[in-house]
Amino acid sequence: MTIAEVSRKYTISIDTLRYYERIGLLPPVPRDKSGFRDYGETDCNWIEFIKCMRSANVSIEALTEYVSLFQKGNSTDAARKALLEEQLSELDKRIAEMQAGRERLAWKVAHYEDKMKETEKKLL
């Protein structure tokens, strides 16, 4: 598959695909005789894996480290799991922060007439 076909199939920009390859997140993609990237099944599997991990909010940095560990073999299983546990903890923190923000905003909406309008007058 060409890079354009892969871009369309996985709804990832061509620039992002090149970036993933450049930073080592996606292993080097073979080239055809004209020098164009020629994505095969394994390459597409990597893209699906990357998309899955990104949709789970794994950071690019953590994912790059994960891939590097993966490429070193099964001896890194514990390190990879620890990395995922760390990412889960970070996500839990972000969710808690967002929930607290949501609660503050819900309070402001519920008390708009009696509290927020009073506060807004002080801004004039």
Side-chain angles (χ1 to χ4, degrees), residues 33-65:
K33 61 185 174 200
S34 300
F36 294 107
R37 288 172 178 84
D38 185 17
Y39 290 82
E41 183 179 351
T42 300
D43 305 308
C44 291
N45 290 341
W46 272 105
I47 293 165
E48 287 177 9
F49 174 75
I50 293 166
K51 280 194 71 161
C52 176
M53 296 294 269
R54 292 294 290 142
S55 71
N57 287 290
V58 175
S59 72
I60 291 288
E61 295 80 12
L63 189 49
T64 302
E65 183 179 346

Side-chain angles (χ1 to χ4, degrees), residues 58-108:
V58 175
S59 72
I60 291 288
E61 295 80 12
L63 189 49
T64 302
E65 183 179 346
Y66 185 95
V67 168
S68 175
L69 288 167
F70 172 80
Q71 291 171 336
K72 292 176 183 173
N74 291 339
S75 65
T76 65
D77 284 354
R80 284 182 278 160
K81 183 177 181 184
L83 191 142
L84 293 177
E85 289 170 339
E86 183 181 307
Q87 287 294 290
L88 179 60
S89 177
E90 289 297 317
L91 183 57
D92 286 341
K93 287 177 191 172
R94 289 198 319 260
I95 289 169
E97 290 169 0
M98 291 180 74
Q99 184 61 38
R102 188 203 182 286
E103 289 169 10
R104 281 192 299 278
L105 188 54
W107 185 91
K108 291 175 185 308

Side-chain angles (χ1 to χ4, degrees), residues 3 12-22 26 60:
I3 197 168
I12 299 177
S13 76
I14 290 172
D15 287 339
T16 299
L17 289 167
R18 289 181 181 136
Y19 171 69
Y20 286 169
E21 189 177 352
R22 187 172 60 252
L26 181 62
I60 291 288

